[in-house]
Amino acid sequence: MSVWPAGEVREGENVTSWFTVRLAFADGARVDALAVVGAAGLSVEDVRAQPALCLDDLVVLADWLEAPLHEACGLGADPGGDGAAGSRRARPPWPGGVEGRWQVAQEYRAAQREGADPVLAVMDATGHSRRTSLRLISGARDAGFLTPRHMKR
């Protein structure tokens, strides 16, 4: 993986940095991305891949890029470690496995009852991005804690 700075904007104490990232694989496949690291965390703005990425790979792309980007920013290789203290919001502890999927379903249903956006409720509860929260909701559906999104005919 290669990371190059592509730009930076400073506004007071906040710094937003853009990076060009290239993932090259042994089989000749490659992924080029434009990533942004700022106060809100990591986001990927543009992705070009040869051959094209499947949806599952796009979902985990930010996870692949997180540690190398934090290292390139001088924040340390471990985004949750001491090197990045204060630069990212802390995620509340969230259990994995069946317990985590059950809690996601509880948050989702509570938001539905209150007439709120259930995806945003899961995002708030877990501290994860929209994509990761959608993946967690999907896991809760697969585990049978939520009704299927589309009924099969």
Side-chain angles (χ1 to χ4, degrees):
M1 177 180 298
S2 301
V3 179
W4 302 279
E8 181 177 278
V9 173
R10 293 182 183 272
E11 186 175 339
E13 293 182 14
N14 295 327
V15 178
T16 302
S17 303
W18 283 263
F19 293 89
T20 302
V21 182
R22 175 169 285 167
L23 291 144
F25 299 92
D27 64 356
R30 77 168 201 245
V31 177
D32 293 318
L34 180 62
V36 179
V37 178
L42 168 71
S43 64
V44 178
E45 288 194 353
D46 185 37
V47 177
R48 293 191 179 145
Q50 189 63 30
L53 293 174
C54 69
L55 209 49
D56 291 336
D57 290 340
L58 280 172
V59 170
V60 298
L61 182 62
D63 295 335
W64 292 346
L65 302 178
E66 192 168 25
L69 283 171
H70 276 81
E71 191 171 308
C73 293
L75 300 174
D78 180 11
D82 295 333
S87 67
R88 302 182 70 225
R89 66 176 183 215
R91 286 186 184 143
W94 194 261
V98 174
E99 177 67 23
R101 289 189 288 271
W102 183 81
Q103 285 186 13
V104 164
Q106 296 303 312
E107 292 290 336
Y108 189 93
R109 278 197 232 104
Q112 281 182 322
R113 282 191 300 272
E114 295 169 5
D117 184 344
V119 177
L120 287 177
V122 171
M123 289 171 62
D124 287 342
T126 63
H128 288 291
S129 69
R130 184 171 189 83
R131 286 182 182 163
T132 303
S133 295
L134 287 169
R135 214 170 54 224
L136 292 170
I137 292 166
S138 175
R141 286 187 199 287
D142 292 345
F145 295 125
L146 294 171
T147 58
R149 184 170 174 171
H150 302 290
M151 299 303 283
K152 295 182 181 180
R153 297 177 195 195

